[in-house]
Amino acid sequence: MADIKTKNHVWLHVALISFTVLAIYPVLWVLALSFSGQQSVGLIDLPKDPSFLERFRGILPMPAHWSIKNFTEVWTDQDFGRWMWNSVVVSLMTTALGVFLACTAAYAFSRFRFPGRNTGMLMFLISQMFPGTLMLIPLFIIIVKWLELGNTYVGLVIVYATTAIPFCVWMLKGYFDTIPYDIEESALIDGASRLTIFWRIILPLAKPAIAITALFSFMTAWNEFILASIFMESELNYTAPVGLRFFVGGFSSQWGYFAAGSVIVSLPVVALFLQLQKYLISGLTAGSVK
Amino acid sequence: MNLAEHLKRSAVLGIGISVLLTLVLSTWMFHAEESDLRLQHKQRLALLHTNGLALAVANISVEETGKRVRDIQKLDPRIESAIIVVGMQLVASTRDEDAAPRQLKREEKPLFDLSNLIRTAGETNRGEEVVRKKTIQIDEKPSGHIVVTVPYLSDGQFAGILQMKFNTEAAEMFSPLPDSYSLPLLFLLAALLAGSLLRMNTDRKVDVAKLLALGVFLAIALSYQQQRLNRIEQMMAQANQSIAANYLATAEQYDRLGYLALPRDSSAVNLWDTDHYQRPLGLIAASGNVSAKAQAAYFDKRGGFLKRILASFDLLGLGVLLMFIYGYAARTFSALKEHADAYTYVAPAMIGMLVLVFFPFLYGITLSFTDTTLFNESLPFQDRLIGWDNFKAILGDFNLYERTANGIIWNYQNFYWTLLVTVIWTVSNVTIGVTVGFFLAMALNTEGLRGKAIYRVLLILPWAIPNYITALVWRGMFHPQFGVINQVLQMFGMQPVAWFDGVFSSFMTGLATNGWLSFPFMMVVILGALQSIPKEMYEAAEVEGADRWQRLRYITLPLLKPTLIPAIVLSVVWTFNMFNIIFLVSGGEPGGANEILITKAYKIAFENYQYAYAAAYSTVIFMILLVYGTFQTRVTKATESF
């Protein structure tokens, strides 16, 4: 052990640094592309017979000319601002609804023993295996044809919130189980109602797990593009993911806009993710191992 | 005896609720069926007159056509107007202001388009030798008018269209039977009366009162349904009589005017009374007689489906009744009351799940037993039902490869090929994720390593970025001409690779992308588990003289297992259904060879529009995952018990 310490882990650092470079290269590449001010997928124009060094320059994630043109144009010339707004509204509404539904259900599963409890939990688990393609057409029929919620935020929100429920409930229930029951018991004896206990004791104690649930619900809505592309017919109602795919899917190749849009879309989730990552391990393991 | 005790012994609640349920459901079904019949009758009547007119003006000169159309319209006040369009010409019209014949005006272009649509529909049907496209169009106007468009023939060939506006308000409908609710109410009262008279013995499993209750339920439900079924049959007969009368009256007028001879031969086919594909219905003979045999067969077909649905309602009601008789309902009720708190908390999520997860799931399963496509969506459900055919077509197709002179050619569209690709895809991805995640976690767990926090944040980054963005980014990096990866290859003097053209290279693009975004999850999970292993265990092992390998083998791995196994199960399910990566990076290229099951199902549904086939495909995917899940939990439980 002692001899490893004196080595300062040089080789370990070399290995870790090279792997980290590999891991973040695509991120740097998108960043470079977004600041390149052009639409091509290549960062610089290579001369006809490029030398080793010229090629090396080509793969360095550095744009030939720095410019914020892609950012300004994607915001002004394209509908991207509108799409971002749609995504923000849908995701926040999904988070609010999803956390509410998951917290109440998880509390019941954790604290009450009632007929149908095990069946309910099992059903939640099995529903995780339902292939999305099986649900697409029925959901389209229910939301768009029957409820006539196509092209609305509400239609997407209720579908996203319910699809996120099972995972959130399992995770939260695992966490609620670790909160000692004694606290509640003494509160009950003191005459507190179930609702007060849930609101005043359980929820504040479960903050880390709720944070993860919120993140998960938010990401479900923020990152989904298939349902959104089916429900939202008019271009103005696209969410950001549908819009981003619109830039580089099919026959269009506006890589610059795509890169700039991706950076804008990713920033909030990456920030949230890194903020909440300290809860990530405890939240995930409490739910899955128990 | 108190009320609760009384209710427990009386059958009134059970019979009342089960009968009410069955009656409401049946009435709703009959109501839908009867309004459907009325609508059908209206359309059939309009079509009958249009077909007749089309026959009377077929294959004659243009002037004569114009005259006959106007004459016939004057004969029947229900015919609001009729026009004939051939190409860009308005050949005949009953409206004087139209001043036919003349060129179509610009705003009448839809008529020209409709004519083309009907012509191509007829050609498609003849070409395919099946009847798939409607050659007759029927539109219902909000004013109550029905507009029917049929092909107009000249020299025995399709020439144009005849469009008739028919006024059904003035048309004497077959007298609709009163749609009253007194009949079901009467039946319900009878049920309540019978129920209140019956006293059940709660101590015995079977007693006379229980049997009687079941008998009363069945008698009431079945006799009510029979009543309504008779009414449906009566309505059908009336509809046929009304059509026959209309037919005879009009055909006789045509006969008198010398436009069209009325066939006296009773075996001749009636060409007036057809379906939307111009196929004679055969319910009414050319002589105007209603064919009793055809009518009975028609009723059997339509009523047969109805009866099956009614039987399912009966079973439902029977189940409810049994629940009441044997006290399950009472117990469920008291459970609901006792655990009201719990159910209130669960209800919002449960209702959401039932409506938006479980119901669509069951709907999808049902869909998989039909042959629904984009084109026959509007057909009634019973016409689309095909049983297990989709599953037979998917699972029974072993046409996996073809032997040719140039070797074996794989059939990439085959289910088993896609399954194989999916399994290889899942296994290789999870292996990569676990291996890379494990080594990185071990590295980051090294004591005294500097910059741990920075490494961790940077290495977690691929997980944080939305995976569809990752997929599109990697698609850009694999770009055959400008992509970074080919640039690197060329930098070292290698040839660029057309990544999406080869089966193997295309598979690698997906693998690289998914590997990149899935290792952080494993890393984080394993790191968490590693950190929870007490250091004392290693120290003790070291004192005992265990080397690094032994410490890994006997301390680290066994203690990782409880965390690792659920994580692996989870990531197997995720990877198996990892739609975004395959769909966005390689798109299953080349030629669908790298499609996984879930992307294949999507393409069947949204590129081929075979909704039902896609649903069956998805059902198979679900079954595979379910079997895997059950098997995995068994194995895990078995290993845990050691």
Side-chain angles (χ1 to χ4, degrees):
Chain A
M1 213 63 178
D3 53 298
I4 299 173
K5 252 180 199 164
T6 48
K7 269 189 207 160
N8 270 335
H9 308 301
V10 176
W11 289 112
L12 197 54
H13 274 296
V14 170
L16 275 174
I17 287 174
S18 40
F19 198 87
T20 310
V21 168
L22 264 178
I24 63 169
Y25 180 81
V27 183
L28 297 177
W29 184 76
V30 179
L31 274 173
L33 205 58
S34 69
F35 283 106
S36 69
Q38 44 96 29
Q39 298 301 330
S40 150
V41 71
L43 278 168
I44 54 168
D45 291 325
L46 285 178
K48 195 131 202 214
D49 235 338
S51 66
F52 180 83
L53 271 180
E54 277 165 333
R55 284 202 187 277
F56 184 67
R57 170 69 193 85
I59 62 165
L60 275 188
M62 297 271 271
H65 313 282
W66 291 84
S67 151
I68 56 162
K69 209 179 91 198
N70 281 335
F71 286 95
T72 50
E73 277 183 11
V74 84
W75 206 262
T76 52
D77 296 359
Q78 309 284 331
D79 288 328
F80 192 72
R82 168 85 203 204
W83 298 339
M84 277 298 282
W85 170 248
N86 292 339
S87 262
V88 168
V89 174
V90 167
S91 305
L92 288 181
M93 282 164 75
T94 303
T95 311
L97 185 64
V99 168
F100 167 74
L101 292 175
C103 281
T104 47
Y107 181 66
F109 281 133
S110 166
R111 284 300 186 258
F112 299 107
R113 294 291 172 273
F114 54 92
R117 176 175 172 272
N118 291 337
T119 321
M121 295 282 290
L122 190 68
M123 266 163 64
F124 277 22
L125 193 67
I126 290 176
S127 77
Q128 286 300 84
M129 295 177 184
F130 293 175
T133 44
L134 186 58
M135 321 286 278
L136 274 179
I137 294 163
L139 277 177
F140 176 79
I141 293 172
I142 294 170
I143 297 290
V144 178
K145 290 199 175 155
W146 293 354
L147 300 177
E148 296 186 354
L149 289 174
N151 273 325
T152 62
Y153 295 143
V154 180
L156 275 185
V157 168
I158 55 175
V159 173
Y160 289 160
T162 43
T163 44
I165 286 178
F167 186 76
C168 294
V169 166
W170 268 91
M171 221 170 58
L172 275 175
K173 188 217 158 241
Y175 198 87
F176 287 162
D177 284 347
T178 62
I179 301 174
Y181 192 60
D182 309 351
I183 310 175
E184 272 169 82
E185 245 172 4
S186 53
L188 272 176
I189 293 167
D190 289 344
S193 75
R194 274 284 179 195
L195 194 67
T196 323
I197 293 172
F198 177 62
W199 193 248
R200 290 281 167 79
I201 298 175
I202 298 294
L203 289 189
L205 280 176
K207 255 188 207 154
I210 292 174
I212 296 294
T213 310
L215 177 71
F216 186 80
S217 304
F218 186 84
M219 299 251 275
T220 306
W222 192 255
N223 295 344
E224 205 281 341
F225 71 92
I226 300 167
L227 280 168
S229 64
I230 291 175
F231 286 1
M232 300 300 206
E233 268 179 283
S234 84
E235 221 169 272
L236 267 186
N237 285 325
Y238 280 2
T239 54
V242 183
L244 281 183
R245 203 179 149 235
F246 177 79
F247 285 140
V248 290
F251 294 104
S252 61
S253 53
Q254 296 164 307
W255 284 95
Y257 291 153
F258 163 74
S262 298
V263 172
I264 299 172
V265 167
S266 305
L267 272 181
V269 273
V270 171
L272 270 176
F273 201 91
L274 295 183
Q275 264 299 304
L276 294 173
Q277 59 140 338
K278 59 176 180 229
Y279 297 132
L280 215 54
I281 298 170
S282 58
L284 272 176
T285 43
S288 54
V289 178
K290 267 250 154 183
Chain B
M1 201 195 290
N2 64 16
L3 186 70
E5 191 61 25
H6 177 80
L7 278 178
K8 209 166 159 190
R9 300 201 38 176
S10 161
V12 65
L13 211 57
I15 290 193
I17 290 183
S18 56
V19 166
L20 182 70
L21 181 74
T22 311
L23 289 193
V24 165
L25 287 173
S26 316
T27 308
W28 167 68
M29 192 71 203
F30 281 118
H31 188 77
E33 183 73 7
E34 286 181 9
S35 42
D36 196 34
L37 274 179
R38 290 210 185 94
L39 179 76
Q40 262 187 18
H41 177 69
K42 249 165 50 172
Q43 297 192 345
R44 192 173 156 205
L45 193 64
L47 181 55
L48 178 89
H49 283 276
T50 320
N51 273 334
L53 182 58
L55 287 171
V57 297
N59 310 326
I60 51 168
S61 71
V62 173
E63 297 77 35
E64 180 66 11
T65 300
K67 183 180 160 293
R68 282 189 189 183
V69 168
R70 277 191 301 278
D71 286 349
I72 290 171
Q73 193 246 340
K74 278 184 202 112
L75 284 175
D76 196 333
R78 290 173 301 182
I79 301 177
E80 188 96 358
S81 64
I83 52 170
I84 293 176
V85 174
V86 174
M88 286 297 288
Q89 287 279 330
L90 180 70
V91 173
S93 169
T94 54
R95 284 175 303 215
D96 293 333
E97 66 270 26
D98 272 349
R102 61 164 169 81
Q103 283 276 318
L104 282 181
K105 290 181 195 149
R106 182 181 290 268
E107 63 268 23
E108 289 166 334
K109 170 106 187 334
L111 285 173
F112 175 73
D113 293 339
L114 184 59
S115 170
N116 278 337
L117 194 74
I118 286 182
R119 181 173 48 93
T120 43
E123 277 165 8
T124 310
N125 288 347
R126 269 193 299 282
E128 291 179 3
E129 293 181 359
V130 289
V131 189
R132 187 159 69 86
K133 300 227 165 170
K134 289 181 181 173
T135 47
I136 286 174
Q137 181 155 332
I138 301 184
D139 294 310
E140 194 136 2
K141 298 283 171 218
S143 57
H145 287 100
I146 292 183
V147 176
V148 187
T149 314
V150 301
Y152 165 66
L153 304 179
S154 176
D155 300 327
Q157 294 276 328
F158 176 92
I161 51 169
L162 165 69
Q163 192 172 68
M164 182 192 277
K165 197 170 175 191
F166 195 79
N167 189 351
T168 49
E169 294 303 317
E172 103 279 12
M173 292 288 303
F174 64 102
S175 66
L177 294 153
D179 191 27
S180 73
Y181 292 97
S182 48
L183 190 69
L185 271 179
L186 214 66
F187 275 90
L188 187 61
L189 275 180
L192 289 174
L193 192 69
S196 59
L197 290 176
L198 287 170
R199 288 273 170 284
M200 292 179 300
N201 184 345
T202 44
D203 302 330
R204 288 175 57 182
K205 268 219 142 53
V206 182
D207 70 334
V208 181
K210 281 178 184 143
L211 289 178
L212 271 177
L214 291 179
V216 166
F217 167 78
L218 279 179
I220 289 180
L222 290 180
S223 62
Y224 173 69
Q225 289 169 351
Q226 194 52 51
Q227 285 281 332
R228 296 291 301 248
L229 271 174
N230 290 345
R231 214 170 96 148
I232 295 271
E233 194 169 10
Q234 229 175 314
M235 278 175 83
M236 284 181 180
Q238 276 186 25
N240 281 337
Q241 271 155 20
S242 150
I243 293 284
N246 264 287
Y247 164 71
L248 259 186
T250 318
E252 268 165 7
Q253 277 172 337
Y254 286 8
D255 196 26
R256 247 195 331 274
L257 290 166
Y259 294 163
L260 202 65
L262 175 65
R264 301 288 165 192
D265 177 11
S266 61
S267 62
V269 183
N270 186 333
L271 294 172
W272 293 38
D273 187 27
T274 68
D275 62 7
H276 296 193
Y277 304 90
Q278 284 182 295
R279 289 177 302 193
L281 289 177
L283 288 165
I284 295 161
S287 56
N289 295 327
V290 178
S291 155
K293 216 170 98 189
Q295 181 171 297
Y298 182 69
F299 174 73
D300 277 349
K301 189 176 167 235
R302 234 188 129 123
F305 178 72
L306 203 58
K307 275 182 194 154
R308 252 176 291 166
I309 293 201
L310 293 174
S312 70
F313 293 161
D314 293 340
L315 280 180
L316 192 71
L318 213 56
V320 171
L321 182 58
L322 283 173
M323 273 180 65
F324 272 93
I325 290 181
Y326 286 104
Y328 291 113
R331 253 171 276 163
T332 311
F333 183 71
S334 62
L336 270 177
K337 221 165 99 181
E338 192 187 337
H339 303 280
D341 260 1
Y343 290 116
T344 326
Y345 278 97
V346 175
M350 242 348 176
I351 292 171
M353 290 285 290
L354 284 178
V355 175
L356 292 171
V357 177
F358 291 103
F359 177 73
F361 174 71
L362 293 178
Y363 192 107
I365 301 266
T366 318
L367 200 62
S368 68
F369 291 100
T370 66
D371 64 348
T372 310
T373 63
L374 177 69
F375 308 107
N376 67 359
E377 252 183 313
S378 50
L379 282 183
F381 177 75
Q382 66 266 36
D383 292 353
R384 288 182 275 139
L385 212 58
I386 54 165
W388 293 90
D389 286 8
N390 284 328
F391 294 95
K392 280 183 207 151
I394 293 167
L395 297 174
D397 177 14
F398 295 105
N399 183 19
L400 194 51
Y401 58 85
E402 226 178 308
R403 249 179 243 281
T404 62
N406 302 327
I408 288 173
I409 296 177
W410 292 92
N411 175 13
Y412 298 142
Q413 307 309 319
N414 187 284
F415 168 78
Y416 293 102
W417 169 268
T418 313
L419 180 65
L420 182 73
V421 171
T422 314
V423 169
I424 297 176
W425 159 259
T426 309
V427 170
S428 48
N429 268 306
V430 173
T431 314
I432 289 179
V434 172
T435 321
V436 174
F438 178 74
F439 280 110
L440 284 175
M442 288 295 278
L444 289 183
N445 200 38
T446 313
E447 233 175 294
L449 182 76
R450 284 188 189 187
K452 261 186 203 175
I454 300 174
Y455 284 130
R456 226 182 84 167
V457 167
L458 290 179
L459 287 173
I460 222 172
L461 213 54
W463 186 10
I465 293 171
N467 68 12
Y468 70 96
I469 291 184
T470 305
L472 290 169
V473 166
W474 280 79
R475 185 180 169 81
M477 299 208 304
F478 278 113
H479 195 287
Q481 208 177 340
F482 307 110
V484 173
I485 289 162
N486 273 347
Q487 300 286 351
V488 174
L489 289 183
Q490 282 168 301
M491 194 167 89
F492 294 106
M494 282 181 267
Q495 287 299 311
V497 178
W499 288 100
F500 303 115
D501 290 355
V503 177
F504 181 71
S505 63
S506 182
F507 182 79
M508 292 312 286
T509 63
L511 195 61
T513 313
N514 201 49
W516 184 78
L517 68 84
S518 60
F519 79 82
F521 169 72
M522 284 296 175
M523 183 187 86
V524 167
V525 168
I526 295 172
L527 194 57
L530 283 179
Q531 281 166 352
S532 66
I533 300 176
K535 288 194 190 66
E536 294 77 34
M537 291 184 88
Y538 290 112
E539 280 160 16
E542 219 172 335
V543 172
E544 297 280 325
D547 59 19
R548 290 181 73 137
W549 165 247
Q550 281 170 328
R551 284 185 307 230
L552 180 74
R553 174 74 187 77
Y554 294 106
I555 301 176
T556 315
L557 289 184
L559 287 173
L560 274 185
K561 214 170 79 178
T563 319
L564 210 50
I565 284 175
I568 289 177
V569 175
L570 209 59
S571 94
V572 165
V573 175
W574 281 345
T575 316
F576 197 89
N577 279 342
M578 183 50 89
F579 179 86
N580 287 5
I581 301 305
I582 295 289
F583 185 70
L584 295 175
V585 179
S586 69
E589 292 296 309
N594 275 308
E595 216 79 75
I596 58 171
L597 291 171
I598 194 95
T599 56
K600 184 92 181 165
Y602 180 86
K603 288 199 173 160
I604 293 171
F606 292 97
E607 284 177 13
N608 302 354
Y609 301 111
Q610 292 173 296
Y611 297 155
Y613 196 75
Y617 218 91
S618 309
T619 310
V620 173
I621 300 177
F622 169 66
M623 294 316 291
I624 293 173
L625 281 176
L626 194 64
V627 168
Y628 166 77
T630 327
F631 177 74
Q632 181 78 49
T633 31
R634 283 252 169 88
V635 170
T636 318
K637 268 189 193 147
T639 47
E640 264 170 11
S641 59
F642 273 108

